[in-house]
């Protein structure tokens, strides 16, 4: 019964994150991007670009319709490779963002282009972060980035930025390089926002010192699939026997691992070190 309650709770959190993400994305686009005449990132940016290009020829292909048309094929592909719940909620985010974009009217806050670029980049990046933290995404290039990252075990947001910058070069050629320049700055800010607040693929090293190694090791191995090295030593001051444990984990797991180990040994000492490069097998929990 508790398992069913936990599942309902997780689904509720994801649904709330998807709703807030979609609303914030639509708000950022109407409040900051449209007044500045800049282009948003990913498939949403492609949809905006398609609308702008078709408008030159007297055809109106709306951004909201383009978002759905571009994202559905990618969602179908990722349905098998990422996770059904993740894909369904991500696609729901796209439909909600499209709905809010079409039927909600948000008024601009600033007349200054740079203020729109800075606040828009942060707000748009946070819209993506909220979806990701809720175990969903804004689909499109997020799907592709997470699919590759899940396979390779590393962040590829910098490549997403390169894709967006290439798209903006087309935008600049057709509609003016000044707007393309502002858009690239917007893309940079939104990408940096994602990297700053979403750390699923960053790794850290844990150096653990404990006098009770057996319960700590048993609890860790039972709950996590990362490797763990154990060295026997003694305290330089007390000369008491102690164990030194060493493991590499994802940064988003650190809080739960520390809590788990302190439950087994309240006096455990854990040193958390950033890991820039890691070679060897590493278990990455799949996206649900």
């Amino acid at each position: 019964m508790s398992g069913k309650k936990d599942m309902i709770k997780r689904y509720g959190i994801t649904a709330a994150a998807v709703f807030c993400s979609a609303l914030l994305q639509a708000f950022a686009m109407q409040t900051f991007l449209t007044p500045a005449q800049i282009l948003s990132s990913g498939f949403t940016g492609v949809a905006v670009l398609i609308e702008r290009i078709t408008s030159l020829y007297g055809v109106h292909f709306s951004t909201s319709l383009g978002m759905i048309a571009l994202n559905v094929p990618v969602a179908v592909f990722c349905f098998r490779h990422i996770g059904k719940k993740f894909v369904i909620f991500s696609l729901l985010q796209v439909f909600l963002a499209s709905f809010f974009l079409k039927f909600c009217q948000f008024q601009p806050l600033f007349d200054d282009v740079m203020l729109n670029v800075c606040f828009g980049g942060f707000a748009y990046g946070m819209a993506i972060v909220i979806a990701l933290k809720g175990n969903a995404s804004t689909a499109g290039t997020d799907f592709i980035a997470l699919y590759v990252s899940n396979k390779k075990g590393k962040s590829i947001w910098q490549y997403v930025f390169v894709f967006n910058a290439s798209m903006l070069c087309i935008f600049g050629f057709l509609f003016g390089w000044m707007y393309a320049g502002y858009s690239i700055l917007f893309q940079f800010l939104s990408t940096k926002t994602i990297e700053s607040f979403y750390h699923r693929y960053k790794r850290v090293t844990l150096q653990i010192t404990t006098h009770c190694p057996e319960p700590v090791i048993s609890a860790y191995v039972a709950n996590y699939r990362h490797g763990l090295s154990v060295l026997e030593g003694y305290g330089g001051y007390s000369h008491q026997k102690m164990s030194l444990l060493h493991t590499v984990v994802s940064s988003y797991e650190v809080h739960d691992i520390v809590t788990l180990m302190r439950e087994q040994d309240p006096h455990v000492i854990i040193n958390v070190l950033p890991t820039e490069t890691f070679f060897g097998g590493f278990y990455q929990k799949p996206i649900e």
Side-chain angles (χ1 to χ4, degrees):
M1 187 69 179
S2 60
K4 186 176 181 180
K5 288 183 178 180
D6 289 340
M7 182 180 69
I8 294 174
K9 181 180 178 180
R10 290 198 304 269
Y11 278 32
I13 292 173
T14 302
V18 162
F19 180 88
C20 293
S21 171
L23 186 61
L24 181 57
Q25 184 181 7
F27 171 80
M29 292 179 67
Q30 290 191 358
T31 304
F32 303 114
L33 276 70
T34 301
Q37 299 184 52
I38 56 179
L39 210 60
S40 56
S41 60
F43 281 12
T44 303
V46 176
V48 174
L49 183 59
I50 291 174
E51 181 181 16
R52 294 286 299 274
I53 293 174
T54 54
S55 297
L56 295 176
Y57 299 95
V59 180
H60 181 69
F61 191 85
S62 69
T63 299
S64 55
L65 179 60
M67 289 169 61
I68 296 174
L70 290 169
N71 281 289
V72 168
V74 179
V76 171
F77 171 77
C78 292
F79 194 72
R80 291 184 176 182
H81 300 281
I82 293 182
K84 295 180 180 179
K85 182 173 78 75
F86 178 81
V87 172
I88 290 172
F89 275 109
S90 299
L91 202 55
L92 176 61
Q93 197 278 349
V94 173
F95 278 95
L96 284 174
S98 177
F99 174 83
F100 291 139
L101 197 60
K102 188 172 183 63
F103 295 104
C104 294
Q105 297 297 322
F106 300 104
Q107 298 301 316
L109 296 179
F110 307 112
D111 294 327
D112 186 79
V113 176
M114 282 303 298
L115 286 176
N116 282 320
V117 169
C118 294
F119 280 89
F122 177 76
Y124 198 89
M126 284 305 300
I128 297 175
V129 169
I130 291 171
L132 292 173
K133 283 185 173 290
N135 280 327
S137 77
T138 53
T141 53
D142 297 340
F143 270 167
I144 298 170
L146 290 171
Y147 170 72
V148 175
S149 296
N150 206 41
K151 292 291 184 181
K152 301 291 185 180
K154 62 180 182 180
S155 172
I156 64 164
W157 292 113
Q158 63 271 25
Y159 300 111
V160 174
F161 174 70
V162 171
F163 165 80
N164 290 325
S166 300
M167 175 183 64
L168 290 169
C169 287
I170 300 173
F171 175 68
F173 178 77
L174 293 174
F175 300 102
W177 292 108
M178 182 181 69
Y179 297 114
Y182 281 130
S183 298
I184 290 175
L185 177 59
F186 162 84
Q187 299 290 347
F188 178 79
L189 292 173
S190 62
T191 302
K192 282 300 178 183
T193 300
I194 296 169
E195 289 185 336
S196 298
F197 290 93
Y198 186 68
H199 307 292
R200 178 180 175 86
Y201 298 101
K202 291 185 179 180
R203 297 166 183 172
V204 298
T205 298
L206 301 184
Q207 293 180 344
I208 304 112
T209 304
T210 176
H211 292 285
C212 309
E214 292 305 322
V216 171
I217 294 171
S218 297
Y220 180 75
V221 172
N223 289 276
Y224 297 91
R225 294 178 58 177
H226 303 299
L228 183 70
S229 301
V230 183
L231 299 175
E232 298 299 330
Y234 63 91
Y237 179 78
S238 65
H239 297 284
Q240 293 182 355
K241 182 180 178 181
M242 63 178 59
S243 296
L244 305 175
L245 315 180
H246 180 276
T247 185
V248 179
V249 303
S250 296
S251 61
Y252 73 94
E253 298 174 307
V254 171
H255 177 75
D256 292 337
I257 292 174
V258 170
T259 301
L260 177 67
M261 290 184 172
R262 294 185 69 178
E263 289 175 353
Q264 309 304 317
D265 179 8
H267 302 290
V268 67
I269 299 172
I270 303 175
N271 187 19
V272 182
L273 304 172
T275 301
E276 296 295 334
T277 306
F278 181 85
F279 299 98
F282 183 86
Y283 174 74
Q284 179 68 60
K285 184 179 179 180
I287 302 172
E288 296 178 353

